[in-house]
Amino acid sequence: MAIRIFESASNDVSENAIISFEPATGKELWRAECGDVELAVSNARQAWPQWAATSATTRIELMRRFANEVRKQEEPFAELIARETGKPLWETRTEVSAVIGKVDISVTAYAERTGQRKLDSALQGTAALRHKPHGVMAVLGPYNFPAHLPNGHIVPALIAGNTVILKPSEKTPAVAEFLVKCFHTAGVPKDVLQLLIGGPDEGKALVAHDDIDGVLFTGSANAGIAINKALAENPGKIVALEMGGNNPLVLWDTPKLNDAAALIVQSAFTTAGQRCTAARRLIVKSSMYDATIETLTRLTERIIIGAPFDDPQPFMGTVIDEHAADQLTEAYLGLMSDGGKPITHMRRPHGDLPFVTPGIIDTTAMTSRPDAEIFGPLLQVIRVDDFDEAIAEANNTRFGLSASLVGGSPKDYSRFWANIRAGIVNWNRPTNGASSAAPFGGIGLSGNHRPAAFYAADYCAYPVASTEMEQPRASVGVGFN
Ligand SMILES: NC(=O)C1=CN([C@@H]2O[C@H](COP(=O)(O)OP(=O)(O)OC[C@H]3O[C@@H](n4cnc5c(N)ncnc54)[C@H](O)[C@@H]3O)[C@@H](O)[C@H]2O)C=CC1
Ligand SMILES: O=C(O)CCC(=O)N[C@@H](CCC(=O)O)C(=O)O
């Protein structure tokens, strides 16, 4: 968690500092001044021609060295992510593995998605397809995966020959600093990848800067929409928006209720529900309702919630900060006062720290349910009578990131797949835990049709079509005296 200091709290804190605190202890972890947007953009612009002219082989080699650097520091990196986010260590270790894995996947994607093609013809010359980098890219990151998600933009952008300014979440600046240092230690020049500390104001200034060629954003729909608006008159800037979800999980006929409940818990409560792909709505067949709720409640009550380094390790840690915890409990109480029936109460077991227990609430009877992303461990349950109603309910959202069918027949799944509006559609698998080797993005309020992960290569370079001959040769042979 982090706060911005607007007034000097003590002599050594300036007006424009970002201070990061460990959510699980409340202790200060890190502090720094906000960065200089003008300076960062000017450095990135100057560094770009040389970086773009560096061979792709060299750029890829530097990415491999970066992966090795992270490998060497796997444990301290995972520990820092755990301290700054409140996520359990077992989970932050998987985040560091994803950072390392991103390099090989991005190298393959660069070749597959933006590779070169040539078609030779004696008469027409060569028709060539090549790709060029855009220039200076701003990467704006979220707090829930403070290393893996910005890295998922940084690596493909650098491979393609762009320079990058990372403006991380103001809530997780220490992790961003560690990540950027790994690139620099690996040999990536300082101005080719820069860290710009700051909050939304620095993000806005960066987005609006004339010398930025692209914005690669991961975060909330509200901020993504603000970025889209800010760039409405700049169609030339490439913008990739990876935003949130209000993701449905439909539970249909299955004899394997224990497995189904485990998939629901994994989907809704991993990372304390702070995943864009987390299941927010469980849509369940009426005839299965009682047994499902009993099994799900039993499993949810067994979830261990604790600090990142606890032994045994907890299933989930804190949410990011007190403000987020307050918003979650307010959202839960709001649903209750609007007619939701609590199944498992959301509680704050340590009032002064942002631990939140998973809440499950039946919102079937509510006449209008808020179509908002409630970014934490809160699951709404909606009971339906038939499969068409289940699909309609699943699609009853402006978002469209991920959706899962648990149970059902192959025929049910093919109906589900065909009718559901989402970028990730799974069967008997959780809504979250998407693969970096596949495209990752959604429709509606979840994104702007620029999926990340394997398809990030697409927005990091633009295609250039050429027809080429070594000597001029006229092609118009008729119509002259
Ligand atoms: N689709 C995806 O790939 C993912 C989406 N998310 C979404 O991210 C959100 C959680 O992360 P948060 O850090 O709370 O998101 P956020 O939207 O508050 O902030 C994200 C970044 O944008 C910056 N920012 C905020 N307002 C801005 C503006 N108007 N102009 C420019 N920059 C601005 C912030 O400083 C931060 O660096 C959730 O909504 C979650 O669903 C998180 C992970 C993956
Ligand atoms: O970006 C990638 O490489 C793959 C997508 C990914 O890691 N998704 C994760 C986390 C994203 C989130 O939900 O915040 C997931 O689907 O769980």
Side-chain angles (χ1 to χ4, degrees):
M1 112 174 126
I3 54 164
R4 183 172 198 145
I5 302 295
F6 291 103
E7 284 171 23
S8 291
S10 71
N11 289 341
D12 58 347
V13 180
S14 89
E15 265 190 21
N16 231 5
I18 296 273
I19 306 185
S20 174
F21 296 87
E22 294 182 31
T25 62
K27 286 189 192 142
E28 182 176 328
L29 175 67
W30 186 97
R31 66 170 65 190
E33 294 287 304
C34 289
D36 180 335
V37 174
E38 282 301 326
L39 182 65
V41 176
S42 147
N43 290 342
R45 175 59 58 199
Q46 280 178 41
W48 180 56
Q50 199 181 338
W51 180 247
T54 306
S55 71
T57 316
T58 304
R59 296 194 301 257
I60 287 168
E61 176 54 27
L62 284 169
M63 294 307 110
R64 295 206 194 286
R65 285 189 199 168
F66 155 72
N68 282 338
E69 191 54 39
V70 176
R71 227 172 253 124
K72 274 191 240 159
Q73 307 212 50
E74 241 171 314
E75 201 55 13
F77 200 4
E79 284 171 10
L80 180 64
I81 302 172
R83 288 175 69 193
E84 195 166 43
T85 60
K87 297 196 283 186
L89 186 61
W90 68 263
E91 194 187 340
T92 60
R93 286 179 176 142
T94 66
E95 179 164 358
V96 175
S97 300
V99 168
I100 296 167
K102 185 58 78 176
V103 168
D104 277 346
I105 287 170
S106 303
V107 171
T108 309
Y110 177 66
E112 261 183 44
R113 305 289 303 172
T114 55
Q116 301 192 8
R117 248 180 284 149
K118 275 189 175 182
L119 195 65
D120 291 320
S121 135
L123 283 179
Q124 308 283 343
T126 300
L129 168 64
R130 304 185 187 92
H131 289 80
K132 287 194 192 192
H134 295 283
V136 179
M137 302 292 247
V139 170
L140 301 168
Y143 64 75
N144 63 331
F145 281 88
H148 165 51
L149 290 170
N151 190 59
H153 287 314
I154 293 170
V155 170
L158 291 179
I159 289 177
N162 303 280
T163 54
V164 172
I165 300 168
L166 166 63
K167 207 299 286 167
S169 166
E170 57 280 12
K171 296 175 183 177
T172 50
V175 170
E177 183 186 61
F178 193 108
L179 179 73
V180 169
K181 273 190 185 152
C182 289
F183 280 100
H184 291 162
T185 309
V188 173
K190 294 249 176 324
D191 291 343
V192 165
L193 171 64
Q194 296 171 82
L195 176 66
L196 179 77
I197 292 299
D201 285 347
E202 284 69 23
K204 286 178 199 164
L206 201 51
V207 166
H209 201 290
D210 285 341
D211 238 3
I212 290 285
D213 299 294
V215 177
L216 311 182
F217 168 82
T218 312
S220 62
N222 282 346
I225 290 167
I227 290 169
N228 221 19
K229 281 189 186 156
L231 293 178
E233 291 184 16
N234 285 279
K237 287 190 188 184
I238 186 100
V239 185
L241 302 173
E242 317 299 341
M243 303 183 284
N246 186 11
N247 310 303
L249 186 153
V250 172
L251 179 61
W252 221 245
D253 301 312
T254 174
K256 301 190 78 177
L257 260 198
N258 286 333
D259 290 293
L263 285 178
I264 295 164
V265 163
Q266 191 182 340
S267 299
F269 304 137
T270 310
T271 324
Q274 299 169 111
R275 289 203 188 198
C276 54
T277 44
R280 308 286 175 208
R281 295 174 297 141
L282 168 63
I283 297 160
V284 56
K285 188 175 186 178
S286 272
S287 59
M288 298 173 68
Y289 183 88
D290 290 343
T292 302
I293 295 303
E294 202 214 312
T295 317
L296 179 61
T297 311
R298 237 187 304 119
L299 187 60
T300 303
E301 281 165 358
R302 286 179 45 214
I303 288 177
I304 300 174
I305 301 163
F309 303 101
D310 280 0
D311 184 13
Q313 278 274 280
F315 173 82
M316 58 185 246
T318 62
V319 293
I320 193 68
D321 57 21
E322 290 283 302
H323 176 65
D326 290 345
Q327 280 188 323
L328 284 163
T329 40
E330 270 168 37
Y332 172 72
L333 293 172
L335 290 175
M336 260 178 75
S337 60
D338 288 345
K341 288 196 195 117
I343 296 169
T344 303
H345 281 288
M346 176 175 266
R347 289 180 295 104
R348 298 276 302 272
H350 311 284
D352 53 343
L353 293 170
F355 289 96
V356 178
T357 66
I360 306 177
I361 184 160
D362 185 328
T363 56
T364 314
M366 280 174 63
T367 41
S368 87
R369 297 179 205 104
D371 181 23
E373 180 188 50
I374 301 174
F375 204 58
L378 179 53
L379 181 67
Q380 296 181 50
V381 183
I382 300 155
R383 54 199 293 174
V384 291
D385 291 324
D386 63 52
F387 203 58
D388 285 337
E389 198 187 340
I391 289 175
E393 199 55 73
N395 281 335
N396 187 15
T397 171
R398 297 160 301 161
F399 294 90
L401 188 53
S402 67
S404 286
L405 172 67
V406 173
S409 64
K411 209 168 145 209
D412 291 332
Y413 177 57
S414 84
R415 266 174 76 199
F416 184 78
W417 194 95
N419 291 292
I420 220 75
R421 284 186 287 104
I424 296 148
V425 182
N426 296 336
W427 188 26
N428 288 322
R429 300 295 302 147
T431 53
N432 53 12
S435 162
S436 297
F440 181 72
I443 58 167
L445 285 187
S446 297
N448 66 336
H449 297 278
R450 296 207 188 276
F454 199 75
Y455 280 15
D458 296 28
Y459 50 71
C460 290
Y462 66 94
V464 179
S466 308
T467 47
E468 299 163 346
M469 275 193 163
E470 287 200 0
Q471 296 297 330
R473 185 191 295 161
S475 35
V476 184
V478 290
F480 293 92
N481 285 324

